[in-house]
Amino acid sequence: MSLPDAVRIREIAPRLTFQDHVVPTEVKIELVGRLIDAGVRAFELSSFVRPDLIPGLADAEEVFARVPRVPGLSLGCCVGNTRGLARAVGAGADTAYFLLSADEEFARANTGRSTTDSLRELERMATFAADRNIVLGTYVIFAWGGPTGPARSGEDLEPLARRLLDIGVDHWILADSSGYAAPPQIRELLTAALRHVPPSNLTVQIHDGRGMGLAGLLPLLELGVHAIDTSLAGSGGHPAMPGTQGGGLCTEDAVQLLQLCGVETGIDLPRLIDTANWLTSEVGVPGKGFVRHTGCVPSTAQPGEPLAFTWR
């Protein structure tokens, strides 16, 4: 197994969690500040979308304005149209990713547009972004399948990939939004994507709705994709789909796995765990994950907990 020396973890909880869980702006700023103190340097900070539909992200401009700036910080967002992209540029976002769905039924339900119409909008956005200081990319939501369709293969990605390159958008976030992908499916779809764009242009966002999230990390690293989207405490959801498994891969679990594999993330795991516990307990955000409950795997310098063992 050939793994990189380091990867970039991009924390998406400020967008994915708070689109479904409305909290004051001050809470968002504290969360990001805590994560910065833990070493996180890349964020999906919010979405510039209609506030009447996503009230939890109505403060996107204020969040961008108030986040503390530190060296190496990268602040990204989601956008749904040219108007949202203009807002992102005005707020000083470094990157903006269009919310493109590979699932036709979800595309129509989420944005009122077909996938084909969404691609036309993305083409207009690419023209707008061309002479502005922002990187415009696109999500491919449900890239591996769902929520209404079956699992998708690398072959299914081909026509969409070619159309994106025709538009001139070559930075992609492939999202396993329904958690369909085991390692073989991760490899197949990424191999197809890598025929069109270099590994440095790909980010993978794994959701853990079926318990396979961590298993997908190592195959994508072997293929040279070193940018990973994760969500603190596995939190997240979609406000129009209550009760669905909408959380991202748990950041602290991913960081522990990577560190035990010798892959550097630049993130302080104990501080990250403290922040995950703060998010779930003090803020009341539902969360998942293992390491925040069990503790880190002890090192030689940090022995395990004393044995608590009593016959009943």
Side-chain angles (χ1 to χ4, degrees), residues 73-102:
L73 192 66
S74 175
L75 300 179
C77 64
C78 296
V79 291
N81 50 38
T82 305
R83 184 170 58 255
L85 178 58
R87 291 175 60 197
V89 170
D94 300 303
T95 61
Y97 280 82
F98 180 61
L99 293 164
L100 177 68
S101 174

Side-chain angles (χ1 to χ4, degrees), residues 144 176 179-188 212-213 215-216 219:
W144 277 269
D176 185 18
Y180 279 14
Q185 289 78 48
I186 293 284
R187 291 190 183 94
E188 181 189 5
M212 296 186 288

Side-chain angles (χ1 to χ4, degrees), residues 2 56 75 111 141 155 169 174 214 241 246 252-253 281 294:
S2 176
L75 300 179
T111 64
I141 304 170
E155 184 178 348
V169 175
L174 302 180
L214 283 176
M241 301 172 68
E252 58 272 22
D253 287 358
S281 63
T294 60

Side-chain angles (χ1 to χ4, degrees), residues 256 260 294-305:
Q256 176 171 251
L260 290 173
T294 60
C296 308
V297 173
S299 66
T300 54
Q302 287 182 310
E305 295 292 325

Side-chain angles (χ1 to χ4, degrees), residues 45-69:
L45 206 56
S46 192
S47 290
F48 291 94
V49 291
R50 285 175 50 184
D52 59 321
L53 295 180
I54 313 288
L57 303 181
D59 58 354
E61 278 91 352
E62 184 178 359
V63 170
F64 267 86
R66 292 178 56 185
V67 163
R69 295 321 197 251

Side-chain angles (χ1 to χ4, degrees), residues 32-53:
V32 175
R34 285 170 175 261
L35 289 166
I36 288 173
D37 289 344
V40 178
R41 289 295 179 270
F43 292 89
E44 186 174 74
L45 206 56
S46 192
S47 290
F48 291 94
V49 291
R50 285 175 50 184
D52 59 321
L53 295 180

